[in-house]
Amino acid sequence: MAVSDHVNLDQFMAGLKRRNPGETEFHQAVYEVASNVFDYIEDKEIYHAQQILRRIAEPDRIIIFRVCWEDDNGNVRVNRGYRVQNNNSIGPYKGGIRFHPSVNLSILKFLAFEQTFKNSLTGLPMGGGKGGADFNPRGKSDNEVMRFCQSFMTELHRHVGEDVDVPAGDIGVGAREIGYMFGQYKRLENRFVGVLTGKGMEFGGSPIRTEATGYGTVYFMHDMLAVKKDAIDGKTCLVSGSGNVATYAVEKINQLGGKVVTLSDSSGYIYDKDGIDDDKLAFIVDLKTVRRGRIEEAAKEFNCEFHADKRPWEVPCDLAFPCATQNEISTEEAKLLIKNGCMGVSEGANMPTEQDGIHAFTNAKILFAPSKAANAGGVAVSGLEMSQNSARITWKEQELQDLLRNIMQGIHDNCQEYGAEAGSDYVDYVKGANIAGFTKVADAMIAYGVV
Ligand code: NDP
């Protein structure tokens, strides 16, 4: 095929939308990658001839299954479970499991697609996948969550394995859920293997896996600022969410001398102008993970503001760390952040900024770290958990801290290399992450031929 015969970006997206109707999050994620990759491969015939992007945007397989369980009152409940195995060109499928009522195929396909590039960026041998269910753990007893997790794994166990597909946690899936799912896998398979990551330390977990995503997101900001000879020290920061990623992002920002003034959950956000120090953070971690309460309680405890049904982006800041969920920064909110003086955004959540919001950030040339690079620390330490499980050893915490730090620095530098703008000192980290993540997967696919 001559170069001039290639489909262009619009034609590519039209085909994708036709084949995947109504899957808006998936369209959004593919567009973000394709808009950079199309420019990059324009003169690279092999990627066109091999239809590489088209193939990466078509999951290897999708498993959808019924999950039946009994609630504490003896009622039979039915949910839908999924596993999207997107691409295993550079290693076993790897990606989290999400339990949230909003879970649907579009969201899981977008997450599995993104994960493919993210995992490639870590430099570790991991393919991309994602799974979950439209189950809402909120308000459920421990026994109900256990029965759900067991039922979910009763089907999933056939499709995963330490060299096949290694799920982890995500929204609504933390240490408790991983424990229940691992227990059921072990019972069904009668094998103790590293089939899940994010496990408890007593049964094959890795030091710093819990902290890794939040820490990594802050390291990425640190590295972007360092290029500008600046630092987090003294900066006012907004963080959204109050789950795993958000709370460890706050811990690291505090260690580096920043001041975090917001946290949120799906009911609203708290604004504490004095800063959320380590003691306040400990209260919030207990509130959200042990008592499973709402963030408003923290506002009462700290005597600070609570804004119901709102997101933190209206508060003036130097730096923003969206760590809750997808599309939580609208285009208008992105513009408001810029107007209020925000100089950097590092995405802890997956795809938290709407497409035009990303354009607003990059057009304003503020520092912007896209999720597939900025939150890759979690899956990186998951990859290291897999290595430890295979070798049946546990590395020391300091070794893992150093490895995480080095991996995040490596991702930053890789993005900088591919994202540097000619004739200016601006780095387009979105472009850098997309191209750096793409090339490794693409070149592996070419080596395999048409499979
Ligand atoms: P958690 O379940 O621990 O926390 C999620 C937080 O986000 C909670 O505070 C939750 O509030 C809030 N939230 C969820 N949905 C919404 C919504 N629709 N609107 C507003 N707030 C919402 O999840 P994680 O911290 O693990 O994950 C957060 C993000 O980070 C996700 O995008 C996830 O994909 C991404 N991520 C996570 C990784 C990890 O290692 N855990 C790795 C890489 C990315 P509430 O309590 O009210 O539900």
Side-chain angles (χ1 to χ4, degrees), residues 98 138 170 172 209 213 242-245 266 288 294 324 350:
R98 177 176 292 192
R138 190 180 311 148
D170 191 72
R209 172 60 190 92
T213 309
S242 48
N244 170 265
V245 181
S266 50
K288 296 301 291 186
R294 312 305 291 147
N350 280 313

Side-chain angles (χ1 to χ4, degrees), residues 72-90:
D72 287 344
N73 298 320
N75 301 313
V76 174
R77 309 280 287 262
V78 185
N79 287 96
R80 187 173 297 167
Y82 305 83
R83 187 71 186 165
V84 178
Q85 297 180 332
N86 195 67
N87 190 296
N88 67 352
S89 297
I90 61 169

Side-chain angles (χ1 to χ4, degrees), residues 98 100 102 111 115 118 130 138 169-173 209-210 213 240-246 264-267 288 293-294 311 323-326 328 348-351 375-376 378-379:
R98 177 176 292 192
H100 194 271
S102 64
L111 288 164
Q115 195 81 44
K118 181 187 313 193
K130 201 86 187 186
R138 190 180 311 148
D170 191 72
I171 292 178
V173 178
R209 172 60 190 92
T210 323
T213 309
S240 66
S242 48
N244 170 265
V245 181
S264 69
D265 66 15
S266 50
S267 65
K288 296 301 291 186
R294 312 305 291 147
R311 301 189 285 217
C323 295
T325 192
Q326 65 273 358
E328 56 164 315
N350 280 313
M351 205 170 75
N375 72 22
V379 74

Side-chain angles (χ1 to χ4, degrees), residues 199-208 388 394-395:
K199 299 186 291 301
M201 286 305 296
E202 307 77 14
F203 50 96
S206 173
I208 81 152
Q388 294 171 82
T394 306
W395 295 332

Side-chain angles (χ1 to χ4, degrees), residues 104 125 169 183 191 194 216 241 265 280 305 335 357 380 414 416 435 443:
N104 61 33
R191 294 188 315 129
D265 66 15
K280 292 176 182 171
E305 294 173 24
K335 289 178 180 162
N414 215 359
Q416 193 184 17
I435 296 173
D443 291 345

Side-chain angles (χ1 to χ4, degrees), residues 17 62 115 121 156 184 243-244 299 382 388 404-405 408 410:
K17 287 177 182 173
I62 298 173
Q115 195 81 44
L121 281 171
L156 190 69
Q184 183 72 350
N244 170 265
S382 276
Q388 294 171 82
L404 170 65
R405 188 68 197 90
M408 291 313 297

Side-chain angles (χ1 to χ4, degrees), residues 55-76:
R55 284 157 66 186
I56 299 178
E58 192 69 47
D60 289 356
R61 80 187 54 74
I62 298 173
I63 301 131
I64 303 182
F65 49 99
R66 186 182 65 233
V67 186
C68 295
W69 56 284
E70 257 185 46
D71 68 21
D72 287 344
N73 298 320
N75 301 313
V76 174

